[in-house]
Short mmCIF file of all heavy atoms in Angstrom, two decimals:
data_model
loop_
_atom_site.label_atom_id
_atom_site.label_comp_id
_atom_site.label_asym_id
_atom_site.label_seq_id
_atom_site.Cartn_x
_atom_site.Cartn_y
_atom_site.Cartn_z
N GLY A 545 74.34 76.23 -217.09
CA GLY A 545 73.55 77.19 -216.33
C GLY A 545 73.10 76.66 -215.00
O GLY A 545 73.16 77.36 -213.97
N LEU A 546 72.62 75.41 -214.99
CA LEU A 546 72.16 74.82 -213.74
C LEU A 546 73.32 74.61 -212.77
O LEU A 546 73.19 74.88 -211.57
CB LEU A 546 71.44 73.51 -214.02
CG LEU A 546 70.11 73.63 -214.78
CD1 LEU A 546 69.57 72.24 -215.13
CD2 LEU A 546 69.10 74.38 -213.97
N LEU A 547 74.44 74.13 -213.27
CA LEU A 547 75.60 73.94 -212.39
C LEU A 547 76.13 75.28 -211.89
O LEU A 547 76.64 75.37 -210.76
CB LEU A 547 76.70 73.18 -213.13
CG LEU A 547 76.38 71.71 -213.41
CD1 LEU A 547 77.46 71.09 -214.26
CD2 LEU A 547 76.19 70.93 -212.14
N GLY A 548 76.00 76.32 -212.69
CA GLY A 548 76.47 77.64 -212.26
C GLY A 548 75.65 78.20 -211.12
O GLY A 548 76.11 79.08 -210.39
N ARG A 549 74.44 77.70 -210.89
CA ARG A 549 73.59 78.17 -209.80
C ARG A 549 73.92 77.49 -208.49
O ARG A 549 73.42 77.90 -207.42
CB ARG A 549 72.13 77.92 -210.15
CG ARG A 549 71.69 78.67 -211.40
CD ARG A 549 70.28 78.44 -211.75
NE ARG A 549 69.40 78.96 -210.72
CZ ARG A 549 68.15 78.57 -210.53
NH1 ARG A 549 67.63 77.64 -211.30
NH2 ARG A 549 67.41 79.08 -209.58
N LEU A 550 74.72 76.43 -208.50
CA LEU A 550 75.09 75.73 -207.28
C LEU A 550 76.09 76.56 -206.48
O LEU A 550 77.02 77.14 -207.04
CB LEU A 550 75.70 74.37 -207.57
CG LEU A 550 74.77 73.32 -208.17
CD1 LEU A 550 75.56 72.06 -208.51
CD2 LEU A 550 73.66 72.97 -207.21
N SER A 551 75.93 76.57 -205.18
CA SER A 551 76.90 77.21 -204.30
C SER A 551 77.85 76.15 -203.76
O SER A 551 77.61 74.95 -203.89
CB SER A 551 76.18 77.90 -203.13
OG SER A 551 75.58 76.92 -202.29
N LEU A 552 78.91 76.58 -203.10
CA LEU A 552 79.85 75.64 -202.49
C LEU A 552 79.15 74.80 -201.46
O LEU A 552 79.37 73.59 -201.36
CB LEU A 552 81.03 76.40 -201.88
CG LEU A 552 82.10 75.55 -201.25
CD1 LEU A 552 82.71 74.59 -202.27
CD2 LEU A 552 83.19 76.43 -200.66
N GLU A 553 78.24 75.39 -200.72
CA GLU A 553 77.48 74.67 -199.70
C GLU A 553 76.60 73.57 -200.33
O GLU A 553 76.52 72.48 -199.82
CB GLU A 553 76.60 75.67 -198.92
CG GLU A 553 75.85 75.02 -197.77
CD GLU A 553 75.01 76.04 -197.03
OE1 GLU A 553 75.48 77.17 -196.79
OE2 GLU A 553 73.88 75.67 -196.66
N ASP A 554 75.99 73.91 -201.48
CA ASP A 554 75.18 72.90 -202.18
C ASP A 554 76.02 71.70 -202.58
O ASP A 554 75.59 70.54 -202.42
CB ASP A 554 74.55 73.49 -203.46
CG ASP A 554 73.52 74.56 -203.19
OD1 ASP A 554 72.86 74.49 -202.14
OD2 ASP A 554 73.38 75.48 -204.03
N VAL A 555 77.21 71.96 -203.07
CA VAL A 555 78.07 70.88 -203.52
C VAL A 555 78.56 70.04 -202.33
O VAL A 555 78.62 68.81 -202.40
CB VAL A 555 79.28 71.44 -204.31
CG1 VAL A 555 80.26 70.34 -204.67
CG2 VAL A 555 78.80 72.15 -205.55
N GLU A 556 78.86 70.70 -201.20
CA GLU A 556 79.32 69.98 -200.02
C GLU A 556 78.23 69.09 -199.44
O GLU A 556 78.49 68.07 -198.81
CB GLU A 556 79.81 70.97 -198.96
CG GLU A 556 81.11 71.65 -199.35
CD GLU A 556 81.50 72.76 -198.39
OE1 GLU A 556 80.65 73.19 -197.57
OE2 GLU A 556 82.66 73.21 -198.47
N ASN A 557 76.95 69.48 -199.66
CA ASN A 557 75.83 68.74 -199.08
C ASN A 557 75.07 67.89 -200.10
O ASN A 557 73.89 67.61 -199.91
CB ASN A 557 74.86 69.71 -198.41
CG ASN A 557 75.52 70.48 -197.29
OD1 ASN A 557 76.31 69.94 -196.57
ND2 ASN A 557 75.19 71.75 -197.18
N LEU A 558 75.74 67.47 -201.15
CA LEU A 558 75.08 66.66 -202.18
C LEU A 558 74.54 65.33 -201.65
O LEU A 558 73.58 64.79 -202.19
CB LEU A 558 76.01 66.41 -203.36
CG LEU A 558 76.21 67.56 -204.32
CD1 LEU A 558 77.22 67.20 -205.39
CD2 LEU A 558 74.89 67.95 -204.98
N ASP A 559 75.18 64.79 -200.61
CA ASP A 559 74.76 63.49 -200.09
C ASP A 559 73.50 63.59 -199.24
O ASP A 559 72.85 62.58 -198.96
CB ASP A 559 75.87 62.86 -199.25
CG ASP A 559 77.04 62.45 -200.13
OD1 ASP A 559 76.83 62.19 -201.33
OD2 ASP A 559 78.19 62.40 -199.62
N GLU A 560 73.13 64.78 -198.81
CA GLU A 560 71.95 64.94 -197.96
C GLU A 560 70.70 64.95 -198.84
O GLU A 560 70.58 65.71 -199.77
CB GLU A 560 72.04 66.25 -197.18
CG GLU A 560 73.19 66.27 -196.20
CD GLU A 560 73.28 67.59 -195.46
OE1 GLU A 560 72.32 68.37 -195.50
OE2 GLU A 560 74.33 67.82 -194.86
N ILE A 561 69.78 64.07 -198.50
CA ILE A 561 68.53 63.99 -199.26
C ILE A 561 67.45 64.66 -198.43
O ILE A 561 67.30 64.36 -197.23
CB ILE A 561 68.14 62.51 -199.52
CG1 ILE A 561 69.25 61.84 -200.32
CG2 ILE A 561 66.79 62.41 -200.17
CD1 ILE A 561 69.07 60.36 -200.50
N PRO A 562 66.68 65.59 -199.00
CA PRO A 562 65.63 66.24 -198.22
C PRO A 562 64.56 65.25 -197.77
O PRO A 562 64.27 64.28 -198.48
CB PRO A 562 65.07 67.28 -199.17
CG PRO A 562 65.53 66.90 -200.53
CD PRO A 562 66.75 66.04 -200.36
N GLU A 563 63.99 65.50 -196.61
CA GLU A 563 62.97 64.59 -196.05
C GLU A 563 61.66 64.65 -196.81
O GLU A 563 60.95 63.68 -196.94
CB GLU A 563 62.73 64.91 -194.56
CG GLU A 563 63.93 64.53 -193.70
CD GLU A 563 63.66 64.82 -192.26
OE1 GLU A 563 62.48 64.96 -191.86
OE2 GLU A 563 64.63 64.89 -191.50
N CYS A 564 61.31 65.85 -197.32
CA CYS A 564 60.07 65.95 -198.06
C CYS A 564 60.36 66.49 -199.45
O CYS A 564 61.31 67.25 -199.64
CB CYS A 564 59.07 66.84 -197.34
SG CYS A 564 59.68 68.50 -197.08
N PRO A 565 59.58 66.10 -200.46
CA PRO A 565 59.85 66.56 -201.81
C PRO A 565 59.60 68.07 -201.91
O PRO A 565 58.84 68.63 -201.13
CB PRO A 565 58.86 65.78 -202.68
CG PRO A 565 57.80 65.34 -201.74
CD PRO A 565 58.42 65.21 -200.38
N PRO A 566 60.23 68.74 -202.92
CA PRO A 566 60.01 70.16 -203.09
C PRO A 566 58.54 70.45 -203.43
O PRO A 566 57.82 69.59 -203.93
CB PRO A 566 60.90 70.52 -204.28
CG PRO A 566 61.58 69.31 -204.70
CD PRO A 566 61.16 68.18 -203.87
N GLU A 567 58.13 71.65 -203.13
CA GLU A 567 56.76 72.07 -203.41
C GLU A 567 56.51 72.03 -204.92
O GLU A 567 57.38 72.33 -205.72
CB GLU A 567 56.55 73.50 -202.92
CG GLU A 567 56.75 73.66 -201.43
CD GLU A 567 56.69 75.13 -201.05
OE1 GLU A 567 56.13 75.93 -201.78
OE2 GLU A 567 57.26 75.44 -200.00
N PRO A 568 55.27 71.70 -205.33
CA PRO A 568 54.95 71.64 -206.76
C PRO A 568 55.21 72.95 -207.46
O PRO A 568 55.67 72.95 -208.61
CB PRO A 568 53.46 71.27 -206.78
CG PRO A 568 53.18 70.64 -205.46
CD PRO A 568 54.16 71.24 -204.50
N ASN A 569 54.92 74.09 -206.85
CA ASN A 569 55.17 75.35 -207.50
C ASN A 569 56.65 75.57 -207.79
O ASN A 569 57.03 76.12 -208.81
CB ASN A 569 54.66 76.52 -206.64
CG ASN A 569 53.14 76.58 -206.64
OD1 ASN A 569 52.51 76.04 -207.53
ND2 ASN A 569 52.56 77.23 -205.63
N ARG A 570 57.51 75.11 -206.88
CA ARG A 570 58.94 75.23 -207.10
C ARG A 570 59.37 74.36 -208.28
O ARG A 570 60.16 74.77 -209.12
CB ARG A 570 59.70 74.84 -205.84
CG ARG A 570 61.20 74.89 -205.98
CD ARG A 570 61.86 74.78 -204.61
NE ARG A 570 63.24 74.39 -204.64
CZ ARG A 570 64.24 75.08 -205.14
NH1 ARG A 570 64.01 76.24 -205.71
NH2 ARG A 570 65.47 74.65 -205.09
N GLN A 571 58.79 73.16 -208.38
CA GLN A 571 59.11 72.27 -209.51
C GLN A 571 58.69 72.92 -210.83
O GLN A 571 59.41 72.85 -211.81
CB GLN A 571 58.42 70.91 -209.34
CG GLN A 571 59.01 70.05 -208.27
CD GLN A 571 58.26 68.74 -208.13
OE1 GLN A 571 57.10 68.62 -208.52
NE2 GLN A 571 58.91 67.76 -207.51
N ARG A 572 57.52 73.51 -210.83
CA ARG A 572 57.03 74.18 -212.04
C ARG A 572 57.98 75.31 -212.45
O ARG A 572 58.30 75.48 -213.61
CB ARG A 572 55.63 74.71 -211.85
CG ARG A 572 55.09 75.39 -213.11
CD ARG A 572 53.70 75.90 -212.91
NE ARG A 572 52.79 74.79 -212.77
CZ ARG A 572 51.68 74.81 -212.06
NH1 ARG A 572 51.34 75.87 -211.40
NH2 ARG A 572 50.92 73.74 -211.98
N ARG A 573 58.43 76.10 -211.47
CA ARG A 573 59.35 77.21 -211.77
C ARG A 573 60.66 76.68 -212.33
O ARG A 573 61.20 77.26 -213.28
CB ARG A 573 59.61 78.04 -210.52
CG ARG A 573 58.47 78.97 -210.18
CD ARG A 573 58.89 79.91 -209.09
NE ARG A 573 59.33 79.20 -207.89
CZ ARG A 573 58.73 79.27 -206.72
NH1 ARG A 573 57.70 80.04 -206.56
NH2 ARG A 573 59.18 78.58 -205.70
N VAL A 574 61.15 75.59 -211.78
CA VAL A 574 62.40 74.99 -212.27
C VAL A 574 62.23 74.52 -213.72
O VAL A 574 63.08 74.74 -214.57
CB VAL A 574 62.89 73.85 -211.37
CG1 VAL A 574 64.01 73.05 -211.99
CG2 VAL A 574 63.32 74.40 -210.00
N LEU A 575 61.08 73.85 -214.01
CA LEU A 575 60.82 73.38 -215.37
C LEU A 575 60.72 74.55 -216.35
O LEU A 575 61.26 74.50 -217.47
CB LEU A 575 59.55 72.54 -215.40
CG LEU A 575 59.65 71.15 -214.80
CD1 LEU A 575 58.28 70.47 -214.78
CD2 LEU A 575 60.64 70.29 -215.55
N ILE A 576 60.02 75.59 -215.95
CA ILE A 576 59.89 76.78 -216.82
C ILE A 576 61.27 77.42 -217.03
O ILE A 576 61.63 77.78 -218.16
CB ILE A 576 58.91 77.79 -216.21
CG1 ILE A 576 57.49 77.22 -216.31
CG2 ILE A 576 58.97 79.15 -216.94
CD1 ILE A 576 56.44 78.02 -215.57
N LEU A 577 62.09 77.48 -215.97
CA LEU A 577 63.42 78.04 -216.10
C LEU A 577 64.26 77.19 -217.05
O LEU A 577 64.95 77.73 -217.94
CB LEU A 577 64.10 78.14 -214.72
CG LEU A 577 65.52 78.65 -214.73
CD1 LEU A 577 65.57 80.08 -215.20
CD2 LEU A 577 66.14 78.52 -213.36
N CYS A 578 64.19 75.88 -216.91
CA CYS A 578 64.96 75.00 -217.82
C CYS A 578 64.51 75.15 -219.25
O CYS A 578 65.33 75.21 -220.17
CB CYS A 578 64.81 73.54 -217.36
SG CYS A 578 65.69 73.16 -215.84
N ALA A 579 63.21 75.27 -219.48
CA ALA A 579 62.69 75.44 -220.84
C ALA A 579 63.16 76.76 -221.40
O ALA A 579 63.57 76.84 -222.58
CB ALA A 579 61.17 75.38 -220.83
N ALA A 580 63.18 77.81 -220.59
CA ALA A 580 63.65 79.14 -221.04
C ALA A 580 65.11 79.08 -221.41
O ALA A 580 65.55 79.65 -222.42
CB ALA A 580 63.38 80.17 -219.98
N VAL A 581 65.91 78.38 -220.57
CA VAL A 581 67.35 78.24 -220.86
C VAL A 581 67.55 77.51 -222.19
O VAL A 581 68.37 77.91 -223.00
CB VAL A 581 68.07 77.53 -219.70
CG1 VAL A 581 69.44 77.10 -220.09
CG2 VAL A 581 68.11 78.41 -218.47
N LEU A 582 66.76 76.46 -222.43
CA LEU A 582 66.88 75.72 -223.66
C LEU A 582 66.56 76.60 -224.88
O LEU A 582 67.25 76.55 -225.89
CB LEU A 582 65.97 74.48 -223.67
CG LEU A 582 66.47 73.29 -222.89
CD1 LEU A 582 65.39 72.21 -222.85
CD2 LEU A 582 67.74 72.74 -223.50
N VAL A 583 65.51 77.41 -224.77
CA VAL A 583 65.12 78.29 -225.87
C VAL A 583 66.24 79.30 -226.13
O VAL A 583 66.64 79.53 -227.29
CB VAL A 583 63.79 78.99 -225.56
CG1 VAL A 583 63.52 80.12 -226.54
CG2 VAL A 583 62.65 77.99 -225.59
N VAL A 584 66.77 79.91 -225.09
CA VAL A 584 67.84 80.89 -225.26
C VAL A 584 69.06 80.26 -225.89
O VAL A 584 69.66 80.80 -226.81
CB VAL A 584 68.18 81.57 -223.90
CG1 VAL A 584 69.48 82.35 -223.98
CG2 VAL A 584 67.04 82.45 -223.42
N LEU A 585 69.44 79.07 -225.41
CA LEU A 585 70.60 78.41 -225.96
C LEU A 585 70.39 77.99 -227.44
O LEU A 585 71.29 78.10 -228.27
CB LEU A 585 71.00 77.19 -225.13
CG LEU A 585 71.62 77.54 -223.79
CD1 LEU A 585 71.80 76.28 -222.94
CD2 LEU A 585 72.96 78.23 -223.96
#
Side-chain angles (χ1 to χ4, degrees):
L546 293 174
L547 290 175
R549 297 179 66 200
L550 292 176
S551 67
L552 182 58
E553 184 179 319
D554 293 331
V555 175
E556 289 173 346
N557 298 322
L558 282 176
D559 292 334
E560 296 178 15
I561 299 173
E563 290 181 19
C564 60
E567 299 172 22
N569 287 340
R570 179 168 161 66
Q571 287 178 340
R572 180 179 292 148
R573 283 190 301 244
V574 169
L575 287 174
I576 290 171
L577 177 65
C578 288
V581 167
L582 281 174
V583 168
V584 167
L585 288 172

